[in-house]
Amino acid sequence: MKRSLATLSSSLSLRRSSSARFYSLTASLALVMPLLAALMAGFLYPVARLVALSFSGGTLSHYRRIFAEPLHLDVLFSTIEVAFVVTVASLLLGFPVAYLMARLSKGLAMVVAACVFIPLWTSVLIRSYAWVVLLQRNGVINKLLIDTGATEGPLKLIYTQGAVILAMTHVLMPFMILPIYSALRALPPDYVRAARNLGAGPIRAFVAVTLPLSLPGVFAGSVMCFVLALGFYITPALVGGPGSMLMATLIGQQTTVLLDWPFAAALSTVLLAVTLLFVLLFRRTLSLSKGLNSVY
Amino acid sequence: MDIFASPTIRAYSRAAGIIAAGAGIGCILFFLLLPTLIVLPMSLSETDYIEFPPQGLTLKWYSAYFNDPDWMAATWFSLKIALATTATATVTGTMAALGIVRGSLPFRSTLQALALGPMIVPHIILGVALYLAFAPLRLTGSFFGFLVAHTVLAVPYVIITVTASLQRFDPTLELAALNCGANRLQAFFLVVLPNIVPGVAAAAVFAFLASFDEATVAFFISDIGGKTIGRKMFEDIDFNLTPVIAAVSTVLVATSLLLMGTVHLLNARKPHS
């Protein structure tokens, strides 16, 4: 009896130590097969076709066009710049919100969390539409500025780079706040208390203890924001103008207005390469599913 | 000389600091909520153009939405696709999550990265790619074309959510069921599934919303005959900005909040253990 229990427990712990991978290879393959079929039909094959189209004619002529014309390179760099600015703005605005959410009592933290989750659950399309309405020539913000006497006439707010950055920051902020929040929540309050006991002031304790320990969340959120911002289409298409072209809006213009599909495919391939480059660069710090887990 | 040494001044400056920080964070929270809050009052305005603050009070934009055959066709088309996507994405995603978490697959992390790929790859690229792949097969604007595209877009949400529930669920319970004579299917349906069902239900809601709210890919694979509500809204915001869009937006926001409220309740109610 004693021996059989011992073998049972050792066999259990053995299986547990192999992190409970107890479906056979055939069963596991059968389980992932439908997903692989869907990814093949709706993701891998179409993207491969797109990349192949960008090399059509057997030459690099479409790529040469991208890199020969300064306009296209400008769009690429300004996309990276906008993504960077949006990420920094989300971090600066989002960190205090995440910090407050982690520190408040449960009821108040729920109120703050609702302010973060409600926009996240509102479709990007609707939020971009709301920004169009807010920033219009005779929109809410212009009216407010004129009524308070801050400006004489309406300002040009919409269809500018600033409008794109503002609206994109709004859309992406929850992706920054939630990973930072989960990092701060995982931080035992004893650490800060210990630092305070040892004589650190509140600022010193924050800089020496809280901030470094929240960095995994900051990195996860930043990379998420940055990567999502690189490929944003809806928001810049609706609130941006011709002067604030990004890679995604340039691709949209090539396909819908100019109908130059091979060139659009080359632009898409460049954007894809840039996105994957950043994902791979930050894979170690990112732990993508960790960043996403706290959002969904 | 050091005025900050005085206890009263220190207390005052501390209070001022807290008030300033509170006001700052209050502004950020207002910034986060404002775009969602503004669509409801705008949908009630009597004027034919977007006006804020709204003039008068009317429900005519809602009746305009519900009586417009184009909007209704787009809404039903989106609903059909979203429901079908929910089914396919939840089933394939849950199966794959089981295989990835509990299976003995080589290249597990590669597989997981691949499954999350559609979330990372910019949607504009997927839109262009899917158009190129679907147009020759006459799948643009078709139910089946949308089903494939939206399933791929929704599956990452399912995998993330179900993987998290599986990792919380003690695998020895399934082993115990197997030891007691259950076969794999019985063990799954009688032991594993009841324990991860809140996660699977949340995953289904995410899949539904991922499909229903999707607009970038829909922009490319729609056509005149088959258009989703996202595509129709995108067009109207660009060319035909009327308060009908505010009414449609309000209906969509209410639907999302209702569904996500349900998810919240599901997550708050811990599965019996």
Side-chain angles (χ1 to χ4, degrees), chain B residues 9-73:
Chain B
I9 290 177
R10 250 166 68 178
Y12 274 127
S13 63
R14 206 180 132 80
I18 288 173
I19 290 168
I25 294 177
C27 288
I28 300 172
L29 295 180
F30 178 70
F31 165 70
L32 278 171
L33 280 186
L34 180 68
T36 312
L37 295 181
I38 202 172
V39 294
L40 174 67
M42 281 184 328
S43 70
L44 301 172
S45 175
E46 276 184 349
T47 48
D48 287 354
Y49 46 90
I50 297 293
E51 178 82 32
F52 200 91
Q55 307 284 309
L57 209 63
T58 173
L59 290 176
K60 70 178 173 187
W61 303 114
Y62 289 87
S63 78
Y65 166 46
F66 288 108
N67 290 317
D68 184 321
D70 278 358
W71 276 114
M72 280 297 109

Side-chain angles (χ1 to χ4, degrees), chain B:
Chain B
M1 204 51 226
D2 185 7
I3 56 160
F4 291 102
S6 150
T8 0
I9 290 177
R10 250 166 68 178
Y12 274 127
S13 63
R14 206 180 132 80
I18 288 173
I19 290 168
I25 294 177
C27 288
I28 300 172
L29 295 180
F30 178 70
F31 165 70
L32 278 171
L33 280 186
L34 180 68
T36 312
L37 295 181
I38 202 172
V39 294
L40 174 67
M42 281 184 328
S43 70
L44 301 172
S45 175
E46 276 184 349
T47 48
D48 287 354
Y49 46 90
I50 297 293
E51 178 82 32
F52 200 91
Q55 307 284 309
L57 209 63
T58 173
L59 290 176
K60 70 178 173 187
W61 303 114
Y62 289 87
S63 78
Y65 166 46
F66 288 108
N67 290 317
D68 184 321
D70 278 358
W71 276 114
M72 280 297 109
T75 307
W76 286 120
F77 190 57
S78 279
L79 262 181
K80 268 200 311 202
I81 291 163
L83 287 173
T85 299
T86 305
T88 53
T90 309
V91 172
T92 57
T94 303
M95 285 171 66
L98 272 172
I100 291 171
V101 175
R102 294 284 151 80
S104 36
L105 288 168
F107 312 116
R108 287 206 310 174
S109 52
T110 313
L111 199 64
Q112 197 161 15
L114 190 65
L116 299 184
M119 214 171 195
I120 304 308
V121 169
H123 283 190
I124 178 108
I125 295 177
L126 282 177
V128 174
L130 285 164
Y131 175 83
L132 290 171
F134 285 180
L137 303 171
R138 293 171 181 266
L139 281 175
T140 49
S142 78
F143 173 80
F144 187 70
F146 268 104
L147 181 62
V148 171
H150 280 188
T151 299
V152 166
L153 289 169
V155 125
Y157 301 95
V158 178
I159 296 207
I160 289 170
T161 320
V162 176
T163 300
S165 327
L166 276 174
Q167 278 162 349
R168 277 197 298 268
F169 168 65
D170 185 355
T172 48
L173 289 174
E174 188 177 0
L175 281 178
L178 292 173
N179 270 351
C180 292
N183 64 33
R184 287 270 174 217
L185 280 179
Q186 285 171 327
F188 175 73
F189 283 104
L190 296 174
V191 177
V192 182
L193 189 60
N195 277 283
I196 61 168
V197 90
V200 175
V205 172
F206 290 135
F208 178 87
L209 288 179
S211 166
F212 198 71
D213 278 347
E214 205 285 320
T216 311
V217 169
F219 182 76
F220 285 92
I221 61 170
S222 287
D223 64 17
I224 301 157
K227 197 185 271 186
T228 62
I229 194 162
R231 163 73 199 252
K232 169 102 176 104
M233 279 184 79
F234 188 87
E235 266 172 24
D236 278 40
I237 295 170
D238 232 9
F239 300 113
N240 187 22
L241 198 64
T242 66
V244 177
I245 301 167
V248 178
S249 299
T250 309
V251 173
L252 295 185
V253 168
T255 314
S256 299
L257 291 185
L258 208 70
L259 283 172
M260 300 307 282
T262 318
V263 169
H264 183 78
L265 288 180
L266 281 171
N267 285 334
R269 222 186 54 201
K270 288 270 176 292
H272 53 275
S273 48

Side-chain angles (χ1 to χ4, degrees), chain A residues 8 12 15-16 19-25 28-32 34-36 38-39 41-47 49-50 53 92-93 96-97 100 110 112 114-116 118-119 121-123 125-127 129-134 136 138 140 143 166 169-170 173-174 177 202 227-228 230-231 233-234 237-238 248-249 251-252 255-256 261 264-265 268-269 271-272 275-276 279 288-289 292-293 296, chain B residues 25 28-29 31-36 38-39 42 50-53 92 95-96 98-106 108 111-112 114-126 128-134 136 148 151-152 155 157 159-161 164 170-172 174-175 178-179 184 188 206 213 215-216 219-220 229-230 233-234 237-238 241-243 245-246 249 252-253 256-257 260-261 264:
Chain A
L8 178 70
L12 272 180
R15 290 185 122 152
R16 228 150 99 207
S19 96
R21 299 180 194 179
F22 49 74
Y23 287 164
S24 69
L25 184 62
S28 330
L29 278 177
L31 282 169
V32 296
L35 173 77
L36 285 179
L39 286 174
F43 181 49
L44 293 176
Y45 167 71
V47 171
R49 246 189 96 108
L50 175 84
L53 180 69
L92 293 179
L93 295 175
V97 176
L100 190 74
M110 286 272 283
V112 178
C115 295
V116 178
I118 288 172
W121 298 337
T122 307
S123 106
L125 205 55
I126 295 172
R127 286 190 274 164
Y129 159 67
W131 282 113
V132 172
V133 172
L134 286 164
Q136 269 183 85
N138 54 356
V140 184
K143 264 193 183 153
L166 182 76
T169 303
H170 179 264
M173 243 171 87
I177 294 175
V227 166
L228 291 177
L230 280 179
Y233 178 62
I234 303 238
L238 290 176
T249 40
I251 294 168
T255 53
T256 53
W261 290 87
S268 302
T269 307
L271 178 59
L272 182 66
T275 308
L276 292 181
V279 171
L288 202 62
S289 48
L292 291 165
N293 254 332
Y296 296 101
Chain B
I25 294 177
I28 300 172
L29 295 180
F31 165 70
L32 278 171
L33 280 186
L34 180 68
T36 312
I38 202 172
V39 294
M42 281 184 328
I50 297 293
E51 178 82 32
F52 200 91
T92 57
M95 285 171 66
L98 272 172
I100 291 171
V101 175
R102 294 284 151 80
S104 36
L105 288 168
R108 287 206 310 174
L111 199 64
Q112 197 161 15
L114 190 65
L116 299 184
M119 214 171 195
I120 304 308
V121 169
H123 283 190
I124 178 108
I125 295 177
L126 282 177
V128 174
L130 285 164
Y131 175 83
L132 290 171
F134 285 180
V148 171
T151 299
V152 166
V155 125
Y157 301 95
I159 296 207
I160 289 170
T161 320
D170 185 355
T172 48
E174 188 177 0
L175 281 178
L178 292 173
N179 270 351
R184 287 270 174 217
F188 175 73
F206 290 135
D213 278 347
T216 311
F219 182 76
F220 285 92
I229 194 162
M233 279 184 79
F234 188 87
I237 295 170
D238 232 9
L241 198 64
T242 66
I245 301 167
S249 299
L252 295 185
V253 168
S256 299
L257 291 185
M260 300 307 282
H264 183 78

